[in-house]
Amino acid sequence: NAGVTQTPKFQVLKTGQSMTLQCAQDMNHEYMSWYRQDPGMGLRLIHYSVGAGITDQGEVPNGYNVSRSTTEDFPLRLLSAAPSQTSVYFCASSYTSGTRETQYFGPGTRLLVL
Amino acid sequence: SQELEQSPQSLIVQEGKNLTINCTSSKTLYGLYWYKQKYGEGLIFLMMLQKGGEEKSHEKITAKLDEKKQQSSLHITASQPSHAGIYLCGADGNDYKLSFGAGTTVTVRA
């Protein structure tokens, strides 16, 4: 198993550009989520999904869109990047629909918005 | 959402010495998770605690959850350079959402 994979590892964007952060898992996990990590603020939940076709907002969803058309993939879209979205983004997954399972994290995507 | 406060924010420990990190919640914890992160890498799961008074150990790391399920501690015995990194606690708010503390940066000096 590759576990949770994220692409790209690094990205530089200009303000107003759009992009999609990719996340995939090969463990047949139902639950997937996206976090952003900023200095001194820990990880904050952006969006999550309890299964294919189902998504919901987390703590900081503004400026981000997600979709879950398959069990394996959970892309995060930035429609119009802003400097405030400069951060490290982590995707995570777990076996069941819920959080009382071990979360498996991807290696992260470092995003810089100029 | 569940607010988690970690302390200390950072610490420096001499190799071979013990250290303790605390994680306090404003609400009852349904599940408390400890993760470790090395700079530039993802999070590695350490332990999960669910029951009041529960204690788990793995190698030189011990995690405890208090009886009231609002506070957890992570204790490392005889620290080694491999223990350096950022330790984060995460909590299950019983609403499909995980909350995380801000993290504690651990530096181990030889």
Side-chain angles (χ1 to χ4, degrees):
Chain A
N1 285 350
V4 180
T5 58
Q6 290 183 238
T7 56
K9 288 186 178 181
F10 304 96
Q11 185 70 48
V12 179
L13 290 178
K14 293 182 180 178
T15 297
Q17 286 185 316
S18 63
M19 80 160 294
T20 299
L21 279 63
Q22 300 292 344
C23 174
Q25 52 87 12
D26 60 357
M27 298 174 281
N28 202 30
H29 285 175
E30 291 185 11
Y31 184 88
M32 297 186 74
S33 53
W34 276 101
Y35 295 87
R36 59 177 290 173
Q37 185 178 33
D38 302 292
M41 301 188 76
L43 277 78
R44 291 182 291 170
L45 182 64
I46 304 172
H47 285 285
Y48 67 97
S49 168
V50 298
I54 306 169
T55 63
D56 207 343
Q57 295 181 349
E59 183 184 353
V60 288
N62 292 340
Y64 307 95
N65 280 349
V66 292
S67 60
R68 185 94 181 270
S69 56
T70 66
T71 300
E72 295 78 20
D73 301 298
F74 191 43
L76 179 72
R77 297 184 188 84
L78 284 70
L79 298 178
S80 180
S84 60
Q85 293 178 306
T86 293
S87 187
V88 181
Y89 292 86
F90 289 100
C91 177
S93 73
S94 62
Y95 185 66
T96 60
S97 297
T99 53
R100 296 185 191 183
E101 296 283 338
T102 302
Q103 298 287 315
Y104 293 85
F105 282 82
T109 293
R110 294 182 175 274
L111 177 67
L112 173 63
V113 182
L114 302 173
Chain B
S1 63
Q2 193 117 19
E3 288 198 7
L4 294 175
E5 201 168 306
Q6 273 187 250
S7 63
Q9 188 175 1
S10 64
L11 63 92
I12 301 171
V13 63
Q14 197 72 27
E15 184 176 355
K17 298 294 185 182
N18 303 338
L19 67 96
T20 299
I21 301 167
N22 294 303
C23 178
T24 303
S25 170
S26 57
K27 300 178 183 177
T28 299
L29 297 164
Y30 290 94
L32 189 286
Y33 308 80
W34 283 101
Y35 287 86
K36 180 186 175 184
Q37 183 182 26
K38 290 194 173 182
Y39 180 77
E41 299 179 14
L43 279 69
I44 299 169
F45 172 77
L46 295 175
M47 275 172 270
M48 177 176 70
L49 305 167
Q50 287 188 301
K51 299 177 183 176
E54 188 174 7
E55 179 176 321
K56 288 186 178 178
S57 293
H58 177 66
E59 296 181 345
K60 295 186 177 181
I61 301 176
T62 300
K64 300 178 185 179
L65 182 62
D66 74 340
E67 289 289 345
K68 292 184 179 179
K69 294 173 66 175
Q70 285 190 286
Q71 187 167 8
S72 178
S73 63
L74 186 81
H75 184 77
I76 299 177
T77 304
S79 59
Q80 300 169 351
S82 61
H83 290 128
I86 302 171
Y87 290 82
L88 295 102
C89 63
D92 176 358
N94 201 35
D95 57 357
Y96 300 119
K97 299 176 186 176
L98 263 182
S99 302
F100 283 88
T104 296
T105 301
V106 172
T107 303
V108 180
R109 282 197 176 152

